[in-house]
Amino acid sequence: MADPEPTIVLVHGAFAESASWNGVIERLGAAYNVVAAANPLRSVAGDAAYVRDVVRGIGGPVVLVGHSYGGMVITQAAAGDTTVRALVYVNAFAPDTGESALSLSGKFPGSTLADTLVQYPVSTGGNEVAIGQDAYHAQFAADVSSDLAALMARTQRPITEQALSDGLSGEPAWRSLPSWFVFGDADMNIPAAAHRFMAERAAPRGQREIVGGSHAMAVARPGEVAESIIEAVRAT
């Protein structure tokens, strides 16, 4: 008996939220089962545990898709889980053991994110950070309309400094699972050189580099993102 069609689980990153996948979901259409998870953005271990709960609740094969920091989460969440069939990295971190979002984004020059962040303490300890609303359009989503960027800035989910600093624990799932990468060469959060480095290291089945693509690829270029996801699903 053939395996059931995998469910696509979309995991957003920092400064976005689950509705950032709406355009991708529309392009995937009714032919695919899709869940856009609400990533807590508190810690890599905790967020990965939550995504594993989501996968367990689905109860069948899944393809995990991560944007930005969501790549940290899916890399840890998928490790050792036999229900995960493939990984798709959308302008996302694909860390090796011990690497963090901060270390990877600073590995090559070009990120201007740090200068745009605002931070404040949280009651659980430490700080969380968000992108200043005035800086959001140019920093995060330069290739979307100003009205849409303003809406995204207002609905962004902040992330803790701990989550950005946490290193990947254990073996990265991309060593044992097929992966796909899609990213923009105008990403101001994660330099394109870092994306190319991570993709080359993972030896993906598919790789798309979108000329002029910002960090917010799922919003700005949902068609290209959906194509990479469909490739991953069909390959499983």
Side-chain angles (χ1 to χ4, degrees):
M1 184 174 175
D3 281 348
E5 184 91 352
T7 297
I8 299 161
V9 178
L10 306 168
V11 182
H12 68 81
F15 323 124
E17 38 88 53
S18 54
S20 62
W21 295 107
N22 285 357
V24 174
I25 294 170
E26 288 171 3
R27 281 157 180 79
L28 290 170
Y32 298 95
N33 298 316
V34 186
V35 173
N39 187 359
L41 306 176
R42 301 294 89 181
S43 69
V44 171
D47 298 343
Y50 173 73
V51 169
R52 280 195 293 271
D53 289 342
V54 172
V55 170
R56 200 172 295 119
I58 290 168
V62 301
V63 169
L64 284 180
V65 183
H67 172 245
S68 191
Y69 165 81
M72 297 285 306
V73 175
I74 67 169
T75 302
Q76 184 146 328
D81 189 333
T82 57
T83 63
V84 180
R85 301 299 163 82
L87 304 168
V88 183
Y89 292 92
V90 181
N91 279 69
F93 294 108
D96 205 344
T97 308
E99 292 178 339
S100 68
L102 279 178
S103 68
L104 283 167
S105 62
K107 189 175 182 68
F108 298 89
S111 176
T112 55
L113 177 63
D115 293 337
T116 70
L117 295 177
V118 293
Q119 68 175 38
Y120 44 87
V122 287
S123 59
T124 50
N127 295 315
E128 69 175 13
V129 296
I131 298 177
Q133 291 199 11
D134 291 345
Y136 191 96
H137 190 186
Q139 177 62 40
F140 197 82
D143 51 353
V144 308
S145 70
S146 57
D147 286 348
L148 179 54
L151 179 62
M152 293 168 64
R154 294 182 178 108
T155 59
Q156 66 175 298
R157 296 269 306 281
I159 188 169
T160 64
E161 288 182 331
Q162 178 188 335
L164 293 174
S165 302
D166 282 346
L168 183 79
S169 61
E171 187 79 359
W174 48 258
R175 285 206 194 282
S176 54
L177 289 170
S179 62
W180 279 256
F181 283 70
V182 54
F183 57 88
D185 70 357
D187 189 340
M188 303 299 289
N189 281 25
I190 307 170
H195 287 304
R196 295 179 194 120
F197 165 78
M198 291 184 286
E200 182 178 349
R201 180 171 66 180
R205 295 269 193 96
Q207 180 176 332
R208 280 185 172 84
E209 181 170 339
I210 309 303
V211 175
S214 72
H215 189 65
M217 287 280 292
V219 177
R221 309 293 179 96
E224 287 94 329
V225 172
E227 285 174 16
S228 289
I229 295 170
I230 290 168
E231 284 179 12
V233 171
R234 288 177 175 168
T236 62

